[in-house]
Amino acid sequence: MKKVRLRLSSSYDVHIGPGMLTQTGHWLMESGLSDRAVIITNPIVKELYGEALEQNLAREGFEAVTLQVPDGEEQKSLDTATSLYHELSKCYAERTTPIIALGGGVIGDLAGFVAATYLRGVPLVQIPTTLLAQVDSSIGGKVAVNHDQLKNKIGAFYQPKLVISDISTLKTLPDKEFANGLAEVIKSAVVWDREFFTYLEMNLDSLKALSDRELEEAVFRSVKIKAEVVEKDEKDLGLRSILNYGHTIGHAIETAADFGIGHGEAIAIGMIAAARISNRMGILDIKELNRLTDFIRRADLMIETPRLALERIIQAVRHDKKVMAGKIRFVLPKAIGDVFITDKVEPSLMEQVLVGFNEES
Ligand code: NAD
Ligand code: GLY
C-alpha cells in the first residue's frame, strides 16, 4: 500500500493499493468524517463493487445510502445533478454527510460537482475505479458537468477530503478503458519524470498483465506527478496545463471522429504529433521522438489504420482556436520528462505532421 499527500489549500491523502475499497470505513473515520454517508455510483460499478463497499461501511458503523445514475458521459449534466440534489434532500443529507464517488471519471466529476454545490459544499471522498480516474481525474479537485455541448463548462475547484484508489478494481476494466488510463500514465511520465518513463518501458508487459506490484507503482508515481504539478498551480493558471500534453490534437481527433475513436488512442496520436512538431522545430532530438513512438506502439495505443480525417481535425483545432481567443496552446516535449508550453506552432507545421500519419498507413 502506498500513500501520497496533496498539500493544497485543503490537503488530503491518496491511498493506493489492492483491496483498499474494503478499508473505506477505516479511512473515513481517520479523516474525521461522519457516521452517515451517501454513495453515488452507476449500475455497472454498483454491480461490481457496491455491495463490498456497503458491507464495509455497515461493519464500521456507517449508515450508507446508495444513489445511482445511468452509465455514460451524458450524465455529466445539470439535469442529473438536479435529480441528485432531490435524492440528497430526500435522504436528509447534511453539511457533514460525505458523498462518496464510486466509479470512473464521469461519476467522480458529477458527484464532485454535486458535493461542491449541495448545501454550499459537503465532504467529498473519491473512490476511482478506472485507471484514468485513479491517475488523473480523482486528483486535483476539478469537478464539473458538461453544458451547451461543451465539456466541463460548469464546474469548480473542489478538493476531496480523501481519495481511495483500489487497484484491484482495475482488473474488471474493459481493455479500451485500460488503454485510456495507460495513455494518461505515459503522458505523466513524458511531462515530468524521465526515470518513470524508463520504468514504464521496462515494466510494460507486467503492467498490461495487471500485476499488482506494477499497477500500484504506476498509479502511485502518476499520482505523485499530478500532486507535484497541482501543488505548484492548484487553480490551473499556468504550469498545470502541461497535463494537457497530447490533448490539443487528441481532442480534435476525438471531435473529428465523432468520438468513434478511443480517448487513449486519440491522446497517443496527439502526444506523438506534438513530439513530431517539436522535432521539426529543431527542439526534440530524433532519438527521443523514436523512443516515445516505439513505446506508444508497444503499449498498443497506435490505431491500426489511422486514415485521419485531416480536414475535420484541422477544423476542430481552428474551432478551439476561436474559443481560446485566437491562440492554440501546445505542450511540446524538449526531451522525455521535460515539456514547455507554446502558442507559436505554425498551423502549416501541424498540418504537415498530421499528413505524415496518413502517409504511414
Ligand atoms: P467513465 O467514468 O465513463 O468510465 C468508463 C467506463 O468504465 C464506464 O462504462 C464505467 O461504468 C466503467 N467502469 C468504471 N469502473 C469500472 C471497473 N472497475 N470495472 C469495469 N467497468 C468500470 O470514464 P473515465 O475514462 O473513467 O472518465 C472520463 C471522464 O473523466 C470524462 O468525463 C472526462 O472529462 C473526465 N476527466 C476529468 C478530469 C479531472 O481533472 N476532473 C481529468 C481527466 C478526465
Ligand atoms: N486533467 C488535467 C488537470 O487536472 O488539470
Side-chain angles (χ1 to χ4, degrees), residues 42 44-45 48-49 71-73 76 103-109 128-133 136-144 146 151-152 168-174 176-177 180-181 184 226 240 247 263:
N42 72 28
I44 295 176
V45 181
L48 291 164
Y49 304 109
D71 188 36
E73 176 74 25
K76 268 178 60 172
V106 166
I107 288 292
D109 281 11
T129 60
T130 63
L131 182 57
L132 181 140
D136 195 351
S137 60
S138 66
I139 312 295
K142 283 187 182 175
V143 296
N146 305 327
K151 264 183 78 83
N152 304 324
S168 308
T169 62
L170 304 180
K171 304 206 171 166
T172 53
L173 272 185
K176 101 174 173 359
E177 302 303 339
N180 289 346
E184 302 294 349
K226 184 149 187 190
R240 186 164 174 170
H247 288 59
H263 174 75

Side-chain angles (χ1 to χ4, degrees), residues 38-277:
V38 176
I39 301 165
I40 297 181
T41 189
N42 72 28
I44 295 176
V45 181
K46 182 175 179 344
E47 172 75 19
L48 291 164
Y49 304 109
E51 202 176 308
L53 178 59
E54 284 168 1
Q55 280 178 0
N56 166 263
L57 290 174
R59 220 176 11 252
E60 300 287 346
F62 281 84
E63 195 189 305
V65 176
T66 298
L67 305 180
Q68 288 188 70
V69 299
D71 188 36
E73 176 74 25
E74 56 286 2
Q75 297 306 318
K76 268 178 60 172
S77 68
L78 282 174
D79 284 348
T80 306
T82 305
S83 65
L84 286 168
Y85 298 139
H86 286 306
E87 299 283 335
L88 287 166
S89 299
K90 272 203 262 168
C91 62
Y92 304 106
E94 295 165 3
R95 285 287 278 282
T96 51
T97 310
I99 286 183
I100 302 177
L102 175 70
V106 166
I107 288 292
D109 281 11
L110 169 70
F113 177 78
V114 168
T117 46
Y118 187 69
L119 300 178
R120 296 201 187 91
V122 299
L124 169 66
V125 175
Q126 292 275 11
I127 306 189
T129 60
T130 63
L131 182 57
L132 181 140
Q134 293 191 358
V135 301
D136 195 351
S137 60
S138 66
I139 312 295
K142 283 187 182 175
V143 296
V145 294
N146 305 327
H147 187 63
D148 222 5
Q149 318 250 322
L150 284 172
K151 264 183 78 83
N152 304 324
K153 176 90 171 172
I154 301 182
F157 288 95
Y158 191 69
Q159 303 296 342
K161 290 278 177 250
L162 179 66
V163 182
I164 301 169
S165 278
D166 183 342
I167 57 152
S168 308
T169 62
L170 304 180
K171 304 206 171 166
T172 53
L173 272 185
D175 290 349
K176 101 174 173 359
E177 302 303 339
F178 188 80
N180 289 346
L182 187 57
E184 302 294 349
V185 170
I186 297 171
K187 171 202 80 179
S188 307
V190 177
V191 302
W192 201 252
D193 188 345
R194 188 175 180 82
E195 207 260 311
F196 180 37
F197 189 84
T198 307
Y199 171 88
L200 291 173
E201 285 177 319
M202 287 167 61
N203 293 285
L204 179 66
D205 294 337
S206 316
L207 192 58
K208 286 203 303 195
L210 307 180
S211 138
D212 272 357
R213 205 167 64 154
E214 276 70 33
L215 272 181
E216 182 178 286
E217 186 68 13
V219 172
F220 169 68
R221 291 175 76 156
S222 304
V223 169
K224 229 163 139 264
I225 291 167
K226 184 149 187 190
E228 283 173 29
V229 172
V230 172
E231 279 171 0
K232 289 182 169 34
D233 179 21
E234 182 173 347
K235 293 286 166 67
D236 203 5
L237 299 171
L239 178 76
R240 186 164 174 170
S241 60
I242 66 169
L243 299 172
N244 293 334
Y245 172 53
H247 288 59
T248 307
I249 289 178
H251 279 157
I253 292 174
E254 284 183 287
T255 309
D258 288 328
F259 294 86
I261 178 176
H263 174 75
E265 289 168 333
I267 298 308
I269 295 177
M271 288 195 282
I272 294 177
R276 287 183 184 179
I277 289 171

